[in-house]
Amino acid sequence: MFLYLCVWQQHHREMLEIQLVHSRRSREGNCPTFTPTPGVDALHQYAEKTGDELHNLGRVKQNLLVKSNVKYL
């Protein structure tokens, strides 16, 4: 469960970083404001990141299956 929480936090942090990269920053008085920039660049970056994570997840599952099969032989 702890590993799942760490992975989820990392994923969440990366998605927020993508949002910040694709935002306009300004200040209204003492408050910073962020407005999404128009376009689909952030969506493309989300898709790329998610594809990478799915690929890595597949490799982890494959490694676990191989290790578990060797362990019980």
Side-chain angles (χ1 to χ4, degrees):
M1 183 66 171
F2 177 73
L3 179 60
Y4 173 77
L5 182 60
C6 290
V7 170
W8 182 83
Q9 287 176 338
Q10 178 67 24
H11 174 77
H12 192 63
R13 186 178 310 117
E14 290 169 351
M15 294 297 129
L16 289 172
E17 287 172 1
I18 291 171
Q19 290 177 12
L20 282 174
V21 167
H22 296 282
S23 295
R24 295 180 185 155
R25 298 155 193 79
S26 63
R27 287 185 96 56
E28 292 181 7
N30 290 331
C31 299
T33 61
F34 299 90
T35 307
T37 55
V40 295
D41 292 337
L43 291 176
H44 287 284
Q45 197 169 354
Y46 288 140
E48 181 181 330
K49 190 64 162 162
T50 302
D52 291 345
E53 289 177 0
L54 289 173
H55 177 73
N56 290 339
L57 180 60
R59 285 193 348 225
V60 167
K61 283 184 177 180
Q62 182 63 30
N63 287 341
L64 289 174
L65 288 173
V66 168
K67 287 179 183 178
S68 66
N69 287 338
V70 170
K71 186 177 180 180
Y72 293 112
L73 287 177

